[in-house]
Amino acid sequence: MQIVLPYAGIVLLIGPSNSGKSTLLKRMIEKREILPSEVISSDDFRVLVSDIEFIDWRDRPKDEADSLLGDYQSISKEAFSMMDSVIDARCRLNKLTFVDATHLHPDDRKRYLSLARKNNVPIISIVMDIHEDELLIRDEQRDNPRGKRRIRQQYQTFKKEKRFIKKEGYMSVYTIKETDNLEFNRRSNPI
Ligand code: ATP
């Protein structure tokens, strides 16, 4: 599959945890298809604002899980606020930015659609459509697992949301089931 990247604007990655968003972007950086500074990741910004790299959600009693969720939501709120300022600035400077977060909830996606419209830059989305069983297998194998319950919840949200994404107003939507045969064609000027 060939993916046409705009000269400037926003590339929104969309997909549950373990769908391979960060892995794809890392591979593109290694192949020098994109610059490290072109990737804005929610995981990185959570660390920047809170020093916390990872919360282990597995096997927690409900009250402990609820308290962790409260902490995580506060951290995420600050992280996304910082991220959005950086993305906004990059759009104003006509830079291209890959946003690495799940973007499963419509409000999260709408924020970037508005941001792109406000700055008069294109926005495209890359939707990582990976089967739930595969997401769960990858979770067991990764260093910082998100936990089965969370993956299943995210997958249900994704399944419900994916039909709406095409109509939300992106310049293009690429739905990816595997990342092996992707080819990126980057526009070299704004037209
Ligand atoms: P998160 O939203 O939790 O950050 P993510 O969608 O960015 O997740 P990655 O961090 O890229 O996912 O990958 C999560 C795990 O899945 C890693 O252990 C990674 O090695 C594995 N993984 C990613 N892509 C693939 C793939 N195409 N095939 C097999 N394993 C993969």
Side-chain angles (χ1 to χ4, degrees), residues 13-27 41-43 46 72 100-102 128 130 134-135 137-146 150-151 154 177-180:
L13 278 288
I14 303 173
S17 275
N18 302 327
S19 57
K21 305 176 294 293
S22 307
T23 304
L24 171 65
L25 294 169
K26 206 168 135 212
R27 200 173 73 195
S41 142
S42 56
D43 286 342
R46 282 194 194 91
Y72 184 77
D100 181 3
T102 55
M128 311 293 285
I130 307 297
E134 175 66 19
L135 298 176
I137 291 169
R138 288 182 191 176
D139 201 57
E140 278 180 7
Q141 291 168 348
R142 77 186 284 182
D143 292 337
N144 45 5
R146 272 37 179 175
R150 209 155 148 237
I151 300 302
Q154 288 192 359
K177 290 188 186 283
E178 49 99 17
T179 52
D180 283 349

Side-chain angles (χ1 to χ4, degrees), residues 1-5 174 181-187:
M1 182 196 276
Q2 197 188 65
I3 295 186
V4 179
L5 298 173
Y174 297 95
N181 298 314
L182 295 181
E183 201 183 297
F184 293 92
N185 175 354
R186 189 163 175 159
R187 293 258 180 261

Side-chain angles (χ1 to χ4, degrees), residues 46-58:
R46 282 194 194 91
V47 178
L48 275 177
V49 298
S50 73
D51 305 323
I52 295 175
E53 276 197 42
F54 166 58
I55 295 176
D56 193 347
W57 300 87
R58 293 164 304 160

Side-chain angles (χ1 to χ4, degrees), residues 25-97:
L25 294 169
K26 206 168 135 212
R27 200 173 73 195
M28 291 171 76
I29 292 169
E30 280 162 9
K31 289 165 84 179
R32 296 180 189 272
E33 289 166 333
I34 58 175
L35 298 168
S37 50
E38 288 176 315
V39 175
I40 298 289
S41 142
S42 56
D43 286 342
D44 293 348
F45 273 75
R46 282 194 194 91
V47 178
L48 275 177
V49 298
S50 73
D51 305 323
I52 295 175
E53 276 197 42
F54 166 58
I55 295 176
D56 193 347
W57 300 87
R58 293 164 304 160
D59 308 324
R60 301 271 185 173
K62 189 175 178 318
D63 55 344
E64 217 179 291
D66 287 349
S67 153
L68 276 177
L69 183 65
D71 294 348
Y72 184 77
Q73 283 171 340
S74 308
I75 292 168
S76 292
K77 193 168 165 236
E78 297 295 348
F80 277 98
S81 157
M82 297 302 297
M83 273 172 78
D84 291 1
S85 299
V86 176
I87 296 164
D88 199 5
R90 292 182 59 86
C91 287
R92 286 196 298 274
L93 294 169
N94 261 328
K95 296 288 169 184
L96 184 63
T97 307

Side-chain angles (χ1 to χ4, degrees), residues 99-162:
V99 190
D100 181 3
T102 55
H103 301 123
L104 298 180
H105 298 282
D107 287 349
D108 295 335
R109 300 191 297 272
K110 273 185 205 147
R111 254 190 10 256
Y112 296 108
L113 284 154
S114 310
L115 215 148
R117 202 172 305 125
K118 182 187 92 176
N119 286 294
N120 209 14
V121 292
I123 175 167
I124 70 165
S125 65
I126 300 181
V127 181
M128 311 293 285
D129 190 0
I130 307 297
H131 197 275
E132 184 179 28
D133 295 342
E134 175 66 19
L135 298 176
L136 289 165
I137 291 169
R138 288 182 191 176
D139 201 57
E140 278 180 7
Q141 291 168 348
R142 77 186 284 182
D143 292 337
N144 45 5
R146 272 37 179 175
K148 282 196 180 66
R149 194 182 338 149
R150 209 155 148 237
I151 300 302
R152 288 201 180 106
Q153 278 169 354
Q154 288 192 359
Y155 185 75
Q156 286 312 312
T157 309
F158 177 69
K159 218 167 73 173
K160 190 161 60 81
E161 286 294 318
K162 72 178 174 186

